[in-house]
Amino acid sequence: MALIVQKYGGTSVGDVERIKKVAERIKAFRDEGNQLVVVVSARSGVTNELIARAEAVCPNPPERELDQLLSIGEQETIALTAMALHGIGVPAISYTGAQAGIVTDMAHTKARIHSIDAEAMIKDINAGNVIIVAGFQGINSDGDITTLGRGGSDLTAIAIAGAIKADVCQIYTDVDGVYTADPRIVKNARKIEEISYDEMLELASSGSKVMQSRSVEFASKYDVVFEVRSSFNHNPGTIVKQEVASMEKVVVRGVAIDKNQAKIQLLGLADRPGTAAKVFRALATANIVVDMIVQNAGRDGVANLTFTAPANESAKAAKALEPILAELGGKIATHDQFAKLSIVGVGMKTHSGVAATLFTALAECGVNIDLISTSEIKITVAIEQAKADEAARAVHTAFGLDKA
Ligand code: ADP
Ligand code: ASP
Ligand code: MG
């Protein structure tokens, strides 16, 4: 008997037929004598639809109200899944995030989990019930509903698995596991059997939306081993766990692209101590996640500072920087049509020539590199959005990742 946490994403619970299929899968695990906590997402498309409706009534909706609205998507699925289980004779109880004891900080739309009080859940599990928890949501200390950022049901599942010390954590989705690149874009991508937390984190934060990056960060911090697999078949998936020595043999584990990027340039800023601190403090206060940062050498007392941020936050970034520009001089230029392409692998720590291979592959398909940043296990380039897919395929081939 094992204590299993499962998470089913939007496509896996996309309509009532899919929800019934998921209920059958849950029943099969329970019939084998396992205890289950199941986290579900909103039906695919529902969260986007809710956001569109919010924006239709208010161009910049208050984030507290947005969270009230977005949380209903998951609430529909928990109730339907619990009902589907009852329909096939399995006792199941649905829980909202608050009922599951998921307490977060105050940051609406991207809240962080502070703690999970799993007492009620454990009591209901021990009484023989399957627990169905709404992903992506929690409650803050004011008693307001918060959401955990897009894709946040992954985080709900991994955090619960950590909190209740589950034996197994399975993330069910619409692909067979984590691939060397998004299989919808790179047809020759291969499924990865095992990947380290660090590599998965870098892929996720570089745009591989198969896992929410914060959920991987959480898994790494609390060492929650998990498997990404398909809810549409019974194939083995990808195990995500701590790095083992053999993983370093692979130089590049995967390629990720993120097409939702803006390049923001601050031109003619006063070149003196404290300038960058002021700029990035203002962005941090506005909760904007900045990625690549480049500053050119100052000249005549002024310097240019360039960074990337999610394209849908570029207007918010510009607004947050208004008072800083008023103080430091200079002007802002935003370009929304950017993409980031990243290659990731723990093997990069011990191999040379990786950057050269990347840049050659990009040059051969006529892609201009705008910005470059590197870490021990990742190289990222900012490139033109329209060429991102083609570039990903070329780079995938160049590193020998294509399936035979
Ligand atoms: P869910 O709704 O189950 O959470 P998501 O849509 O969030 O599913 O994530 C699954 C999708 O992630 C896949 O359909 C695939 O297109 C995309 N994806 C991007 N990069 C990768 C990758 N490296 N491996 C597998 N899937 C990827
Ligand atoms: N429904 C939320 C979203 O679409 C959370 C999730 O699916 O994980 O982002
Ligand atoms: Mg997802």
Side-chain angles (χ1 to χ4, degrees):
M1 185 183 87
L3 176 56
I4 303 178
V5 172
Q6 299 185 330
K7 176 256 171 175
Y8 293 92
T11 326
S12 302
V13 292
D15 55 33
V16 289
E17 287 314 313
R18 286 296 316 159
I19 290 175
K20 284 166 133 178
K21 286 253 166 16
V22 162
E24 269 156 28
R25 191 180 283 260
I26 296 168
K27 180 176 187 300
F29 275 94
R30 187 168 178 276
D31 288 349
E32 287 168 7
N34 301 301
Q35 294 181 314
L36 286 112
V37 175
V38 177
V39 174
V40 289
S41 290
R43 287 182 295 112
S44 59
V46 167
T47 308
N48 285 343
E49 221 172 89
L50 292 170
I51 292 173
R53 277 189 216 163
E55 286 171 352
V57 292
C58 173
N60 200 357
E63 292 185 330
R64 177 186 181 279
E65 304 312 322
L66 202 52
D67 279 353
Q68 294 276 76
L69 181 70
L70 296 192
S71 60
I72 69 173
E74 272 68 17
Q75 217 163 306
E76 178 196 4
T77 333
I78 52 168
L80 289 174
T81 308
M83 289 173 198
L85 284 162
H86 279 273
I88 52 174
V90 177
I93 303 180
S94 69
Y95 277 57
T96 62
Q99 288 168 334
I102 300 172
V103 179
T104 73
D105 65 11
M106 309 300 278
H108 281 293
T109 77
K110 43 180 113 162
R112 286 184 179 272
I113 296 179
H114 268 175
S115 61
I116 300 183
D117 178 358
E119 204 181 312
M121 223 173 349
I122 287 167
K123 201 164 141 244
D124 281 338
I125 300 171
N126 288 337
N129 299 289
V130 171
I131 311 301
I132 313 293
V133 182
F136 176 55
Q137 55 175 265
I139 191 168
N140 66 22
S141 56
D142 283 349
D144 286 331
I145 297 173
T146 50
T147 62
L148 311 177
R150 295 307 304 269
S153 300
D154 296 333
L155 176 57
T156 306
I158 285 173
I160 290 178
I164 66 174
K165 302 198 165 51
D167 302 300
V168 178
C169 179
Q170 301 169 326
I171 307 291
Y172 284 96
T173 182
D174 56 5
V175 284
D176 281 9
V178 180
Y179 281 69
T180 48
D182 186 340
R184 295 182 205 285
I185 294 169
V186 180
K187 293 284 173 238
N188 284 325
R190 276 185 288 121
K191 186 171 77 185
I192 300 167
E193 271 171 41
E194 283 188 347
I195 183 169
S196 68
Y197 293 129
D198 288 349
E199 289 170 322
M200 187 69 248
L201 178 58
E202 293 285 18
L203 285 175
S205 60
S206 308
S208 295
K209 76 163 192 164
V210 63
M211 285 301 297
Q212 188 216 29
S213 61
R214 276 188 181 185
S215 71
V216 184
E217 212 178 311
F218 194 102
S220 166
K221 191 162 166 198
Y222 297 99
D223 199 11
V224 180
V225 176
F226 63 95
E227 181 184 10
V228 181
R229 53 188 296 189
S230 172
S231 71
F232 291 79
N233 59 44
H234 292 276
N235 299 340
T238 302
I239 304 288
V240 187
K241 60 179 200 182
Q242 237 155 41
E243 183 181 330
V244 291
S246 63
M247 288 177 178
E248 279 201 18
K249 286 195 195 120
V250 177
V251 183
V252 173
R253 178 78 57 192
V255 179
I257 49 177
D258 182 342
K259 289 189 255 182
N260 172 38
Q261 288 292 308
K263 181 176 84 169
I264 300 169
Q265 290 178 295
L266 303 177
L267 307 165
L269 287 178
D271 187 18
R272 58 170 185 254
T275 294
K278 281 183 182 142
V279 166
F280 293 104
R281 172 61 53 213
L283 294 166
T285 306
N287 242 321
I288 292 163
V289 182
V290 171
D291 187 28
M292 305 173 87
I293 301 173
V294 176
Q295 179 170 263
N296 72 338
R299 230 176 122 178
D300 303 329
V302 295
N304 300 339
L305 194 58
T306 305
F307 60 90
T308 60
N312 56 5
E313 300 207 316
S314 66
K316 196 169 153 193
K319 191 151 195 330
L321 292 171
E322 261 170 34
I324 306 295
L325 292 171
E327 182 192 337
L328 297 173
K331 57 180 200 286
I332 185 166
T334 50
H335 314 263
D336 280 350
Q337 305 294 313
F338 267 83
K340 280 188 311 193
L341 180 149
S342 307
I343 53 171
V344 171
V346 288
M348 281 187 208
K349 286 189 245 183
T350 47
H351 290 76
S352 59
V354 182
T357 305
L358 170 66
F359 300 153
T360 305
L362 292 169
E364 280 170 359
C365 62
V367 173
N368 192 46
I369 301 169
D370 218 273
L371 305 169
I372 301 170
S373 78
T374 60
S375 79
E376 220 184 7
I377 67 163
K378 177 168 91 166
I379 304 176
T380 302
V381 292
I383 59 174
E384 187 193 337
Q385 198 181 68
K387 292 213 162 155
D389 291 357
E390 186 194 342
R393 289 189 282 266
V395 169
H396 195 268
T397 305
F399 283 100
L401 295 172
D402 288 356
K403 67 180 164 212

